Each structure stands twice: as structure tokens, then as C-alpha cells.
Amino acid sequence: MQDTSTATPTNPVIINTDALTQGKGQSCHTAYDVNRWSVDEIVALFELPFSDLIHRAQTVHREHFDPNAVQVSTLLSIKTGGCSEDCGYCPQAARYHTDVENEPLMKLDDVLAAAQAAKDNGASRFCMGAAWRGPKQRDLEPVLKMISEVKAMGLETCATLGMLKEGQAEQLKDAGLDYYNHNLDTAPEFYGDVITTRTYQDRLDTLDRVRSVDINVCCGGIIGMGESRNQRAGLLAQLANMERPPESVPINLLTQVEGTPLHGTDELDPLEFVRTIAAARITMSQSFVRLSAGRQSMHEGIQALCFIAGANSIFYGEKLLTTGNPEAEADRKLFAKLGIHSI
Ligand code: SAM
Ligand code: DTB
Ligand code: SF4
């Protein structure tokens, strides 16, 4: 059993000095000073008795957020399927035989109609996703137009288009992009078991490009891909120890899709997923933690535990990119039952 006493209490503006004196952390003296978390310290959080972990996460949550407010984003797949990459979880990779049909980039008017519907349903952010390794310049131009028009409707804008090349983040910023989603997906040492067509460093480079133009970073990963608890902690350490942690941290539960290599992976214990949310909340006290993919198959009780553990963002609307999400009506009822209001 791990010694849980190594898990330090969090204060986001105080450097974890224990880690520094032991040479485990790195100093960061910017306005974004944050705790440096070792993987062992995060594993120690996972190993706390469940009630202690949830209490601690809820305490941190209340220091920084209204505990009954949940941010609501709606996703739209603006370019579906036919992707060149080999992400082992993804139904949109061309090389896997799934039910996803390839579709060209959506037309501007159709995207705007979907954004209006999302706004009318109470979403505050509209996220546009494309099944690309990264956008070519001729792909990016119509997306820039979508971003500026969605922004003009009074919605926050988010895009997830894959890896960005030099200069592309600047163009997205100029178009009015508020958030860019690009996930690390898992711990560095498990990454190669899931994806081989791009490296961990490629992902970090894209995240740097996004940061350097002052677009908010949305970055998280997928839980339940057969990774160990140590690797779940490893993913959180990568995120929490960024010079500036992501403003938004989507924690996805793997949605297993027939035809993908990860279909058939042993199902994760739902309480381990809740523990991951709690550890994300404690280690990234000022970030929005999004209870992301996987809600459709998740009992309401587990979702409620995730909110208590500090999740304060969801995707709302019947579809994620290609897979299902709870019906909007079911989410409205759940929020009413829990006394949650959307922001
Ligand atoms: N193609 C772009 C990229 O990979 O960055 C953007 C879209 S991609 C579908 C966005 C993220 O969705 C992935 O990084 C992954 O974390 C998540 N995702 C994809 N398929 C998933 C699945 N089956 N279950 C859970 N999360 C998934
Ligand atoms: C994220 O972390 N999760 C969302 C969003 N970012 C783009 C995507 C989940 C996709 C689930 C599988 C699908 O619907 O295709
Ligand atoms: Fe392509 Fe993104 Fe799916 Fe990977 S996750 S196969 S890059 S759409």
C-alpha cells in the first residue's frame, strides 16, 4: 500500500516545495505558478479511501468554483471520417472498419444552423471537430469563416482539428477562436500502445503553438483504454505540470466502437473513473474538468458522483462527434434533480 501522506494539500499559487526540495519538481515563477505533482503523489490520491478523496476534491472545488454550476458545450463534427491516423480508439480512422461514413467538410450555413440550435438549447460554447491529422491551408480557410460567424452569434468557439503547423494558431486566433482542443490522451509510456502515426511530442508542440497565441487550451485524455492506475496518474501529471495547466480538461471514458482496435477492452470500474475526475480536480484546481465522452452508458448516480468529485463541464446534445450522448431532455432532468444550473 502506498504511503498516502505524500499527497500534498493544494493551493494553486503555491509551488509544491516538498517536490522541489526532493528534486522532483521544476520551478515556475510566472504569474501561473502551480503545484508540481509527481506521479507518485497523484497515485497516492487515487489510493485514498473513496470518501476522503471525494471530500478533498469537493473542498478544492468549492474554493474555486460554484459547486452547482456546470459549463455546457455542444459538439459538432464538421468533417467526419476518413482520417489518415491510427488512434486505436477512434471510429473515424480510415483504416478501421466501422459504421462511420466519410463526409466532406460541412457547409457554412449548416454549421451555423447547428450552432444556433446549440445556443437555443443553452450551450455557451460550440466545439467544431474535424477528422484530420491536421488542417491543410485550403481546409483551414472555410473553418476560419465558421469560427468568426459562430463567434458573432455570441457563442464561445472551440475547434479540434488535429496538429497545427507554424502560423495556423495565429490564423485561428485572428478568426476569434476561444479554445483549441487537443488531447494528450494518455501517459507518455502508454501512448505508443494506442497511436503510432504521431508522437507525444507532436501533441505538445501543437499545444505550445496554441498557448503562444493566447488561445485557451482544452486538453485531456481517455480513461479505460487498458492503462494502469499509474498511467492514469501519469496523464494527470503531464496536464497538471504544464507551465500553465489547460483551462479545460476533458476526461473521456473510452466509448468502445466495433471495428476499432480497442473494442473489447476490459470495462473500467466506474468508481475508478470517478477517482480520476477527483484527482484531476485536486491537481488542476482552477481548470474546468469536463465529464466528457462516455456519459451515455454511465448511470446517473455515477455522473452525480463525478459532479461531486469536481467535474464542472459536459457536452450537451444527443451526439458527440460520431457516437451518442444522453438526450438533452435527460440531461435537463438530471440537472434539475441535482440542483445544477448551466453556465
Ligand atoms: N482529429 C483531431 C485530433 O485527433 O486531434 C480532432 C478530433 S478527435 C476525435 C478528438 C478527441 O476525441 C481525441 O483526441 C480523443 O481524446 C477523443 N476520442 C475520440 N474517439 C474517442 C472514443 N471512442 N472514446 C473516447 N474519446 C474519444
Ligand atoms: C474530447 O476530449 N472529447 C470530444 C472532443 N474532445 C472533441 C470527442 C469525443 C469523441 C467520442 C467519439 C465520437 O463521438 O466519435
Ligand atoms: Fe483522426 Fe483524430 Fe480520430 Fe485520431 S482521433 S483517428 S486524428 S479523427
Side-chain angles (χ1 to χ4, degrees):
M1 187 82 167
Q2 285 256 348
D3 173 11
T4 52
S5 64
T6 54
T8 48
T10 53
N11 177 335
V13 292
I14 294 174
I15 294 174
N16 180 347
T17 48
D18 284 355
L20 285 178
T21 50
Q22 291 161 22
K24 287 185 285 179
Q26 40 180 294
S27 178
C28 168
H29 297 287
T30 68
Y32 308 109
D33 276 355
V34 287
N35 273 308
R36 300 287 131 187
W37 288 88
S38 70
V39 175
D40 285 351
E41 286 170 332
I42 300 176
V43 169
L45 291 176
F46 273 88
E47 291 184 349
L48 285 169
F50 190 75
S51 292
D52 292 349
L53 173 62
I54 300 303
H55 179 253
R56 187 152 156 198
Q58 173 70 189
T59 305
V60 171
H61 191 43
R62 282 172 186 266
E63 281 165 14
H64 298 282
F65 292 100
D66 172 349
N68 303 310
V70 170
Q71 189 276 329
V72 169
S73 293
T74 291
L75 255 181
L76 178 69
S77 181
I78 58 170
K79 175 4 187 131
T80 304
C83 184
S84 61
E85 302 300 281
D86 72 348
C87 311
Y89 46 76
C90 187
Q92 303 199 69
R95 66 191 71 201
Y96 308 137
H97 300 289
T98 67
D99 289 343
V100 173
E101 307 270 352
N102 300 354
E103 287 163 32
L105 186 64
M106 280 178 72
K107 292 194 169 48
L108 177 65
D109 286 350
D110 295 338
V111 173
L112 297 183
Q116 188 60 52
K119 187 177 179 198
D120 295 344
N121 275 319
S124 59
R125 189 176 310 154
F126 190 65
C127 305
M128 292 161 270
W132 288 322
R133 172 177 166 83
K136 299 186 179 72
Q137 190 55 31
R138 67 163 186 276
D139 298 325
L140 193 59
E141 266 148 33
V143 176
L144 297 174
K145 181 87 178 140
M146 292 171 191
I147 291 167
S148 55
E149 300 257 336
V150 170
K151 177 97 176 159
M153 291 167 59
L155 281 159
E156 286 184 322
T157 54
C158 176
T160 181
L161 314 172
M163 292 190 284
L164 297 180
K165 291 192 266 300
E166 194 74 43
Q168 293 187 320
E170 286 79 353
Q171 296 178 64
L172 290 165
K173 176 75 182 176
D174 291 346
L177 189 69
D178 296 304
Y179 288 80
Y180 194 78
N181 167 244
H182 198 62
N183 291 337
L184 288 177
D185 278 348
T186 192
E189 66 275 18
F190 188 62
Y191 182 88
D193 289 17
V194 181
I195 301 143
T196 68
T197 50
R198 64 171 88 166
T199 65
Y200 214 74
Q201 189 58 49
D202 288 332
R203 292 187 183 246
L204 293 168
D205 291 346
T206 288
L207 292 167
D208 278 349
R209 292 196 164 118
V210 172
R211 259 291 169 243
S212 71
V213 299
D214 220 16
I215 293 174
N216 292 302
V217 171
C218 174
C219 181
I222 309 178
I223 308 301
M225 298 195 290
E227 75 287 340
S228 64
R229 179 178 266 186
N230 213 66
Q231 290 164 339
R232 286 188 274 284
L235 166 67
L236 297 184
Q238 287 288 326
L239 298 166
N241 291 339
M242 285 177 178
E243 191 175 338
R244 204 176 146 184
E247 281 73 19
S248 165
V249 180
I251 305 291
N252 297 279
L253 176 64
L254 174 68
T255 300
Q256 299 201 15
V257 181
E258 218 171 313
T260 60
L262 289 182
H263 183 247
T265 304
D266 286 347
E267 297 283 342
L268 187 79
D269 180 337
L271 294 182
E272 181 70 6
F273 186 79
V274 178
R275 284 181 183 274
T276 310
I277 296 274
R281 165 51 61 226
I282 294 166
T283 54
M284 290 170 276
S285 57
Q286 296 185 75
S287 305
F288 277 83
V289 174
R290 181 173 303 128
L291 167 54
S292 197
R295 285 198 307 118
Q296 199 181 32
S297 60
M298 206 179 277
H299 190 279
E300 293 196 325
I302 296 294
Q303 293 189 55
L305 278 174
C306 288
F307 294 128
I308 295 168
N312 60 349
S313 173
I314 59 162
F315 285 122
Y316 178 68
E318 283 80 11
K319 211 166 170 199
L320 291 167
L321 292 171
T322 64
T323 64
N325 201 37
E327 299 285 321
E329 182 56 23
D331 276 344
R332 273 196 284 274
K333 282 188 182 148
L334 180 61
F335 275 26
K337 267 199 258 187
L338 300 176
I340 287 175
H341 58 273
S342 57
I343 50 173

Short mmCIF file of all heavy atoms in Angstrom, two decimals, residues 191-247:
data_model
loop_
_atom_site.label_atom_id
_atom_site.label_comp_id
_atom_site.label_asym_id
_atom_site.label_seq_id
_atom_site.Cartn_x
_atom_site.Cartn_y
_atom_site.Cartn_z
N TYR A 191 1.24 5.69 -24.52
CA TYR A 191 0.81 6.34 -25.75
C TYR A 191 1.08 5.49 -27.00
O TYR A 191 0.20 5.31 -27.85
CB TYR A 191 1.52 7.70 -25.84
CG TYR A 191 1.13 8.51 -27.04
CD1 TYR A 191 0.03 9.38 -26.99
CD2 TYR A 191 1.84 8.44 -28.23
CE1 TYR A 191 -0.33 10.13 -28.10
CE2 TYR A 191 1.49 9.18 -29.34
CZ TYR A 191 0.39 10.03 -29.27
OH TYR A 191 0.03 10.76 -30.37
N GLY A 192 2.27 4.92 -27.06
CA GLY A 192 2.66 4.14 -28.25
C GLY A 192 1.84 2.87 -28.43
O GLY A 192 1.81 2.28 -29.51
N ASP A 193 1.15 2.43 -27.36
CA ASP A 193 0.26 1.26 -27.49
C ASP A 193 -1.05 1.65 -28.17
O ASP A 193 -1.82 0.79 -28.57
CB ASP A 193 -0.10 0.71 -26.10
CG ASP A 193 1.07 0.02 -25.42
OD1 ASP A 193 2.21 0.23 -25.85
OD2 ASP A 193 0.84 -0.73 -24.45
N VAL A 194 -1.31 2.96 -28.26
CA VAL A 194 -2.62 3.42 -28.76
C VAL A 194 -2.50 4.11 -30.12
O VAL A 194 -3.38 3.97 -30.97
CB VAL A 194 -3.25 4.40 -27.72
CG1 VAL A 194 -4.62 4.87 -28.18
CG2 VAL A 194 -3.36 3.75 -26.34
N ILE A 195 -1.42 4.86 -30.31
CA ILE A 195 -1.25 5.67 -31.53
C ILE A 195 0.20 5.57 -31.99
O ILE A 195 1.11 5.72 -31.17
CB ILE A 195 -1.54 7.17 -31.23
CG1 ILE A 195 -2.96 7.36 -30.70
CG2 ILE A 195 -1.32 8.05 -32.47
CD1 ILE A 195 -3.08 8.41 -29.64
N THR A 196 0.40 5.35 -33.30
CA THR A 196 1.78 5.32 -33.78
C THR A 196 2.05 6.38 -34.85
O THR A 196 3.20 6.62 -35.21
CB THR A 196 2.16 3.94 -34.37
OG1 THR A 196 1.42 3.76 -35.58
CG2 THR A 196 1.86 2.81 -33.41
N THR A 197 1.00 7.00 -35.38
CA THR A 197 1.20 7.89 -36.54
C THR A 197 1.55 9.33 -36.14
O THR A 197 1.73 10.18 -37.02
CB THR A 197 -0.04 7.88 -37.45
OG1 THR A 197 -1.20 8.11 -36.64
CG2 THR A 197 -0.19 6.56 -38.17
N ARG A 198 1.56 9.63 -34.86
CA ARG A 198 2.06 10.93 -34.39
C ARG A 198 2.58 10.74 -32.97
O ARG A 198 2.11 9.86 -32.25
CB ARG A 198 0.99 12.00 -34.42
CG ARG A 198 -0.15 11.71 -33.48
CD ARG A 198 -1.08 12.87 -33.35
NE ARG A 198 -2.10 12.81 -34.37
CZ ARG A 198 -3.22 13.54 -34.33
NH1 ARG A 198 -3.41 14.39 -33.36
NH2 ARG A 198 -4.11 13.44 -35.25
N THR A 199 3.55 11.54 -32.58
CA THR A 199 4.20 11.32 -31.29
C THR A 199 3.60 12.22 -30.21
O THR A 199 2.87 13.17 -30.50
CB THR A 199 5.70 11.64 -31.39
OG1 THR A 199 5.83 13.06 -31.65
CG2 THR A 199 6.39 10.85 -32.49
N TYR A 200 3.95 11.87 -29.00
CA TYR A 200 3.55 12.69 -27.84
C TYR A 200 4.09 14.10 -28.01
O TYR A 200 3.41 15.08 -27.77
CB TYR A 200 4.13 12.06 -26.57
CG TYR A 200 3.25 12.19 -25.34
CD1 TYR A 200 2.10 11.42 -25.20
CD2 TYR A 200 3.58 13.07 -24.30
CE1 TYR A 200 1.30 11.53 -24.08
CE2 TYR A 200 2.79 13.17 -23.18
CZ TYR A 200 1.65 12.39 -23.06
OH TYR A 200 0.86 12.48 -21.94
N GLN A 201 5.35 14.16 -28.48
CA GLN A 201 5.98 15.48 -28.67
C GLN A 201 5.23 16.30 -29.73
O GLN A 201 5.08 17.51 -29.57
CB GLN A 201 7.47 15.31 -29.05
CG GLN A 201 8.24 16.62 -29.05
CD GLN A 201 8.20 17.34 -27.68
OE1 GLN A 201 8.44 16.75 -26.64
NE2 GLN A 201 7.87 18.65 -27.69
N ASP A 202 4.73 15.65 -30.78
CA ASP A 202 3.92 16.37 -31.78
C ASP A 202 2.75 17.07 -31.08
O ASP A 202 2.39 18.21 -31.41
CB ASP A 202 3.32 15.40 -32.82
CG ASP A 202 4.36 14.85 -33.79
OD1 ASP A 202 5.35 15.55 -34.05
OD2 ASP A 202 4.15 13.72 -34.30
N ARG A 203 2.14 16.35 -30.16
CA ARG A 203 0.96 16.92 -29.47
C ARG A 203 1.38 18.10 -28.60
O ARG A 203 0.72 19.13 -28.58
CB ARG A 203 0.27 15.85 -28.62
CG ARG A 203 -0.38 14.81 -29.49
CD ARG A 203 -1.21 13.84 -28.69
NE ARG A 203 -1.75 12.82 -29.59
CZ ARG A 203 -3.05 12.67 -29.87
NH1 ARG A 203 -3.94 13.43 -29.30
NH2 ARG A 203 -3.43 11.74 -30.71
N LEU A 204 2.50 17.92 -27.89
CA LEU A 204 2.98 19.02 -27.03
C LEU A 204 3.32 20.25 -27.88
O LEU A 204 3.06 21.39 -27.48
CB LEU A 204 4.18 18.56 -26.21
CG LEU A 204 3.85 17.48 -25.15
CD1 LEU A 204 5.14 16.87 -24.58
CD2 LEU A 204 3.00 18.05 -24.02
N ASP A 205 3.87 20.01 -29.07
CA ASP A 205 4.23 21.13 -29.95
C ASP A 205 2.97 21.90 -30.38
O ASP A 205 2.96 23.14 -30.41
CB ASP A 205 4.97 20.63 -31.20
CG ASP A 205 6.37 20.10 -30.85
OD1 ASP A 205 6.84 20.35 -29.73
OD2 ASP A 205 6.96 19.41 -31.71
N THR A 206 1.92 21.17 -30.72
CA THR A 206 0.67 21.86 -31.09
C THR A 206 0.13 22.65 -29.91
O THR A 206 -0.30 23.81 -30.05
CB THR A 206 -0.38 20.83 -31.61
OG1 THR A 206 0.05 20.40 -32.90
CG2 THR A 206 -1.77 21.44 -31.73
N LEU A 207 0.19 22.05 -28.73
CA LEU A 207 -0.31 22.76 -27.53
C LEU A 207 0.50 24.04 -27.29
O LEU A 207 -0.06 25.09 -26.93
CB LEU A 207 -0.28 21.83 -26.31
CG LEU A 207 -1.28 20.66 -26.40
CD1 LEU A 207 -0.99 19.61 -25.32
CD2 LEU A 207 -2.72 21.16 -26.27
N ASP A 208 1.80 23.97 -27.53
CA ASP A 208 2.64 25.18 -27.38
C ASP A 208 2.23 26.26 -28.36
O ASP A 208 2.19 27.44 -28.03
CB ASP A 208 4.13 24.84 -27.64
CG ASP A 208 4.79 24.25 -26.41
OD1 ASP A 208 4.18 24.30 -25.32
OD2 ASP A 208 5.90 23.71 -26.55
N ARG A 209 1.92 25.83 -29.59
CA ARG A 209 1.50 26.83 -30.60
C ARG A 209 0.21 27.51 -30.17
O ARG A 209 0.04 28.72 -30.35
CB ARG A 209 1.29 26.16 -31.96
CG ARG A 209 2.61 25.66 -32.52
CD ARG A 209 2.57 25.33 -33.99
NE ARG A 209 3.95 25.26 -34.43
CZ ARG A 209 4.55 24.18 -34.92
NH1 ARG A 209 3.86 23.07 -35.12
NH2 ARG A 209 5.82 24.20 -35.25
N VAL A 210 -0.70 26.73 -29.61
CA VAL A 210 -1.99 27.28 -29.17
C VAL A 210 -1.75 28.28 -28.03
O VAL A 210 -2.26 29.41 -28.03
CB VAL A 210 -2.93 26.13 -28.72
CG1 VAL A 210 -4.19 26.67 -28.08
CG2 VAL A 210 -3.26 25.24 -29.92
N ARG A 211 -0.95 27.86 -27.06
CA ARG A 211 -0.64 28.73 -25.91
C ARG A 211 0.03 30.03 -26.34
O ARG A 211 -0.27 31.10 -25.81
CB ARG A 211 0.35 28.01 -24.99
CG ARG A 211 -0.21 27.37 -23.79
CD ARG A 211 -0.71 28.36 -22.74
NE ARG A 211 -1.47 27.67 -21.73
CZ ARG A 211 -2.75 27.85 -21.47
NH1 ARG A 211 -3.47 28.73 -22.14
NH2 ARG A 211 -3.35 27.18 -20.51
N SER A 212 0.94 29.91 -27.31
CA SER A 212 1.76 31.07 -27.66
C SER A 212 0.93 32.19 -28.28
O SER A 212 1.35 33.34 -28.29
CB SER A 212 2.91 30.66 -28.59
OG SER A 212 2.37 30.34 -29.85
N VAL A 213 -0.26 31.87 -28.81
CA VAL A 213 -1.10 32.94 -29.37
C VAL A 213 -2.25 33.29 -28.42
O VAL A 213 -3.20 33.98 -28.80
CB VAL A 213 -1.64 32.60 -30.77
CG1 VAL A 213 -0.50 32.39 -31.75
CG2 VAL A 213 -2.54 31.37 -30.74
N ASP A 214 -2.19 32.71 -27.22
CA ASP A 214 -3.17 33.05 -26.18
C ASP A 214 -4.58 32.56 -26.49
O ASP A 214 -5.56 33.23 -26.14
CB ASP A 214 -3.15 34.57 -25.96
CG ASP A 214 -3.26 34.89 -24.48
OD1 ASP A 214 -3.05 33.98 -23.68
OD2 ASP A 214 -3.59 36.04 -24.15
N ILE A 215 -4.67 31.43 -27.14
CA ILE A 215 -5.97 30.74 -27.24
C ILE A 215 -6.03 29.82 -26.01
O ILE A 215 -5.03 29.22 -25.62
CB ILE A 215 -6.05 29.90 -28.54
CG1 ILE A 215 -6.06 30.81 -29.77
CG2 ILE A 215 -7.27 28.99 -28.54
CD1 ILE A 215 -5.99 30.06 -31.11
N ASN A 216 -7.21 29.73 -25.39
CA ASN A 216 -7.35 28.84 -24.23
C ASN A 216 -7.13 27.39 -24.65
O ASN A 216 -7.59 26.96 -25.71
CB ASN A 216 -8.74 28.96 -23.62
CG ASN A 216 -8.96 30.31 -22.98
OD1 ASN A 216 -8.21 30.71 -22.08
ND2 ASN A 216 -9.95 31.04 -23.45
N VAL A 217 -6.46 26.66 -23.78
CA VAL A 217 -6.14 25.26 -24.08
C VAL A 217 -7.19 24.33 -23.46
O VAL A 217 -7.51 24.44 -22.28
CB VAL A 217 -4.73 24.91 -23.55
CG1 VAL A 217 -4.48 23.41 -23.64
CG2 VAL A 217 -3.66 25.68 -24.32
N CYS A 218 -7.71 23.44 -24.29
CA CYS A 218 -8.60 22.38 -23.84
C CYS A 218 -7.85 21.08 -24.09
O CYS A 218 -7.62 20.72 -25.26
CB CYS A 218 -9.92 22.43 -24.62
SG CYS A 218 -11.01 21.04 -24.26
N CYS A 219 -7.42 20.43 -23.04
CA CYS A 219 -6.56 19.25 -23.22
C CYS A 219 -6.80 18.24 -22.11
O CYS A 219 -6.74 18.59 -20.93
CB CYS A 219 -5.09 19.69 -23.24
SG CYS A 219 -3.95 18.32 -23.49
N GLY A 220 -7.07 17.01 -22.51
CA GLY A 220 -7.29 15.95 -21.52
C GLY A 220 -6.94 14.62 -22.11
O GLY A 220 -5.94 14.49 -22.83
N GLY A 221 -7.76 13.62 -21.84
CA GLY A 221 -7.44 12.30 -22.34
C GLY A 221 -8.58 11.32 -22.20
O GLY A 221 -9.72 11.71 -21.92
N ILE A 222 -8.23 10.06 -22.41
CA ILE A 222 -9.22 8.98 -22.39
C ILE A 222 -8.82 7.98 -21.31
O ILE A 222 -7.66 7.58 -21.23
CB ILE A 222 -9.29 8.26 -23.76
CG1 ILE A 222 -9.45 9.26 -24.90
CG2 ILE A 222 -10.42 7.24 -23.77
CD1 ILE A 222 -9.48 8.62 -26.29
N ILE A 223 -9.81 7.58 -20.54
CA ILE A 223 -9.60 6.62 -19.45
C ILE A 223 -10.33 5.33 -19.85
O ILE A 223 -11.39 5.39 -20.48
CB ILE A 223 -10.20 7.20 -18.13
CG1 ILE A 223 -9.67 8.61 -17.84
CG2 ILE A 223 -9.97 6.27 -16.95
CD1 ILE A 223 -8.17 8.73 -17.71
N GLY A 224 -9.74 4.19 -19.48
CA GLY A 224 -10.42 2.92 -19.78
C GLY A 224 -9.91 2.28 -21.06
O GLY A 224 -10.60 1.47 -21.68
N MET A 225 -8.68 2.64 -21.46
CA MET A 225 -8.10 2.05 -22.68
C MET A 225 -7.19 0.85 -22.33
O MET A 225 -6.43 0.39 -23.17
CB MET A 225 -7.29 3.09 -23.46
CG MET A 225 -8.13 4.26 -23.95
SD MET A 225 -7.30 5.26 -25.21
CE MET A 225 -6.00 6.03 -24.23
N GLY A 226 -7.25 0.41 -21.06
CA GLY A 226 -6.38 -0.69 -20.63
C GLY A 226 -5.12 -0.18 -19.95
O GLY A 226 -4.22 -0.96 -19.64
N GLU A 227 -5.08 1.14 -19.69
CA GLU A 227 -3.93 1.72 -18.99
C GLU A 227 -3.99 1.35 -17.50
O GLU A 227 -5.04 1.01 -16.99
CB GLU A 227 -3.90 3.25 -19.17
CG GLU A 227 -4.91 4.05 -18.36
CD GLU A 227 -6.36 3.94 -18.84
OE1 GLU A 227 -6.58 3.56 -20.01
OE2 GLU A 227 -7.28 4.21 -18.05
N SER A 228 -2.84 1.45 -16.83
CA SER A 228 -2.80 1.16 -15.40
C SER A 228 -3.17 2.43 -14.63
O SER A 228 -3.19 3.54 -15.19
CB SER A 228 -1.38 0.73 -15.00
OG SER A 228 -0.49 1.82 -15.22
N ARG A 229 -3.42 2.25 -13.33
CA ARG A 229 -3.70 3.42 -12.49
C ARG A 229 -2.51 4.39 -12.51
O ARG A 229 -2.68 5.60 -12.57
CB ARG A 229 -3.98 2.94 -11.06
CG ARG A 229 -4.25 4.05 -10.12
CD ARG A 229 -4.57 3.55 -8.74
NE ARG A 229 -6.00 3.40 -8.55
CZ ARG A 229 -6.54 3.08 -7.38
NH1 ARG A 229 -5.76 2.84 -6.33
NH2 ARG A 229 -7.85 2.98 -7.24
N ASN A 230 -1.32 3.82 -12.48
CA ASN A 230 -0.11 4.63 -12.56
C ASN A 230 -0.10 5.49 -13.84
O ASN A 230 0.32 6.65 -13.84
CB ASN A 230 1.09 3.68 -12.60
CG ASN A 230 2.28 4.27 -11.90
OD1 ASN A 230 2.23 4.47 -10.69
ND2 ASN A 230 3.31 4.61 -12.65
N GLN A 231 -0.58 4.91 -14.92
CA GLN A 231 -0.63 5.65 -16.19
C GLN A 231 -1.75 6.69 -16.20
O GLN A 231 -1.60 7.76 -16.80
CB GLN A 231 -0.74 4.66 -17.36
CG GLN A 231 0.57 3.89 -17.52
CD GLN A 231 0.45 2.64 -18.36
OE1 GLN A 231 -0.64 2.08 -18.54
NE2 GLN A 231 1.59 2.16 -18.86
N ARG A 232 -2.85 6.39 -15.51
CA ARG A 232 -3.88 7.43 -15.38
C ARG A 232 -3.29 8.62 -14.61
O ARG A 232 -3.47 9.78 -14.99
CB ARG A 232 -5.12 6.89 -14.63
CG ARG A 232 -5.95 5.96 -15.48
CD ARG A 232 -7.25 5.60 -14.80
NE ARG A 232 -7.16 4.47 -13.89
CZ ARG A 232 -7.07 3.19 -14.23
NH1 ARG A 232 -7.07 2.84 -15.50
NH2 ARG A 232 -7.00 2.24 -13.32
N ALA A 233 -2.55 8.30 -13.54
CA ALA A 233 -1.89 9.36 -12.77
C ALA A 233 -0.85 10.07 -13.64
O ALA A 233 -0.67 11.29 -13.54
CB ALA A 233 -1.25 8.78 -11.52
N GLY A 234 -0.19 9.32 -14.50
CA GLY A 234 0.84 9.89 -15.38
C GLY A 234 0.25 10.91 -16.35
O GLY A 234 0.87 11.95 -16.63
N LEU A 235 -0.93 10.62 -16.88
CA LEU A 235 -1.61 11.58 -17.76
C LEU A 235 -1.91 12.86 -16.97
O LEU A 235 -1.63 13.97 -17.44
CB LEU A 235 -2.92 10.98 -18.31
CG LEU A 235 -3.88 12.00 -18.94
CD1 LEU A 235 -3.28 12.58 -20.24
CD2 LEU A 235 -5.25 11.37 -19.23
N LEU A 236 -2.46 12.71 -15.77
CA LEU A 236 -2.81 13.90 -14.98
C LEU A 236 -1.57 14.71 -14.62
O LEU A 236 -1.59 15.94 -14.62
CB LEU A 236 -3.59 13.50 -13.71
CG LEU A 236 -4.94 12.82 -13.95
CD1 LEU A 236 -5.65 12.56 -12.61
CD2 LEU A 236 -5.85 13.65 -14.86
N ALA A 237 -0.46 14.02 -14.34
CA ALA A 237 0.79 14.74 -14.03
C ALA A 237 1.24 15.57 -15.22
O ALA A 237 1.66 16.72 -15.08
CB ALA A 237 1.88 13.75 -13.61
N GLN A 238 1.14 15.00 -16.42
CA GLN A 238 1.51 15.76 -17.63
C GLN A 238 0.68 17.04 -17.74
O GLN A 238 1.20 18.10 -18.08
CB GLN A 238 1.26 14.92 -18.88
CG GLN A 238 2.24 13.79 -19.09
CD GLN A 238 3.62 14.28 -19.50
OE1 GLN A 238 3.75 15.28 -20.22
NE2 GLN A 238 4.65 13.60 -19.05
N LEU A 239 -0.60 16.91 -17.49
CA LEU A 239 -1.51 18.05 -17.64
C LEU A 239 -1.28 19.08 -16.53
O LEU A 239 -1.15 20.28 -16.79
CB LEU A 239 -2.97 17.57 -17.63
CG LEU A 239 -3.39 16.61 -18.75
CD1 LEU A 239 -4.72 15.96 -18.42
CD2 LEU A 239 -3.47 17.35 -20.08
N ALA A 240 -1.22 18.59 -15.30
CA ALA A 240 -1.14 19.49 -14.14
C ALA A 240 0.20 20.23 -14.11
O ALA A 240 0.28 21.33 -13.58
CB ALA A 240 -1.35 18.72 -12.84
N ASN A 241 1.24 19.59 -14.64
CA ASN A 241 2.58 20.18 -14.57
C ASN A 241 2.93 21.06 -15.76
O ASN A 241 4.06 21.54 -15.87
CB ASN A 241 3.64 19.09 -14.40
CG ASN A 241 3.54 18.42 -13.03
OD1 ASN A 241 2.98 19.01 -12.10
ND2 ASN A 241 4.08 17.23 -12.90
N MET A 242 1.97 21.27 -16.66
CA MET A 242 2.24 22.21 -17.75
C MET A 242 2.53 23.57 -17.13
O MET A 242 1.98 23.91 -16.07
CB MET A 242 1.03 22.32 -18.67
CG MET A 242 0.86 21.11 -19.57
SD MET A 242 -0.63 21.29 -20.56
CE MET A 242 -0.53 19.79 -21.52
N GLU A 243 3.34 24.35 -17.82
CA GLU A 243 3.69 25.67 -17.27
C GLU A 243 2.42 26.42 -16.87
O GLU A 243 2.36 27.08 -15.85
CB GLU A 243 4.48 26.46 -18.31
CG GLU A 243 5.08 27.70 -17.73
CD GLU A 243 5.96 28.41 -18.74
OE1 GLU A 243 6.43 27.77 -19.70
OE2 GLU A 243 6.15 29.61 -18.55
N ARG A 244 1.43 26.28 -17.70
CA ARG A 244 0.11 26.78 -17.36
C ARG A 244 -0.87 25.64 -17.67
O ARG A 244 -0.99 25.26 -18.84
CB ARG A 244 -0.17 27.98 -18.28
CG ARG A 244 -1.15 28.95 -17.76
CD ARG A 244 -1.24 30.12 -18.73
NE ARG A 244 -2.59 30.62 -18.74
CZ ARG A 244 -3.02 31.59 -19.53
NH1 ARG A 244 -2.19 32.13 -20.41
NH2 ARG A 244 -4.24 32.00 -19.47
N PRO A 245 -1.50 25.05 -16.65
CA PRO A 245 -2.39 23.91 -16.92
C PRO A 245 -3.53 24.32 -17.86
O PRO A 245 -3.88 25.50 -17.95
CB PRO A 245 -2.94 23.54 -15.54
CG PRO A 245 -2.00 24.15 -14.55
CD PRO A 245 -1.43 25.38 -15.22
N PRO A 246 -4.11 23.37 -18.58
CA PRO A 246 -5.19 23.70 -19.51
C PRO A 246 -6.36 24.36 -18.78
O PRO A 246 -6.66 23.98 -17.65
CB PRO A 246 -5.63 22.34 -20.06
CG PRO A 246 -4.54 21.40 -19.73
CD PRO A 246 -3.82 21.92 -18.54
N GLU A 247 -7.01 25.29 -19.44
CA GLU A 247 -8.21 25.91 -18.85
C GLU A 247 -9.34 24.89 -18.78
O GLU A 247 -10.20 24.96 -17.90
CB GLU A 247 -8.68 27.10 -19.70
CG GLU A 247 -7.90 28.39 -19.49
CD GLU A 247 -6.51 28.37 -20.11
OE1 GLU A 247 -6.24 27.53 -21.00
OE2 GLU A 247 -5.68 29.21 -19.69
#
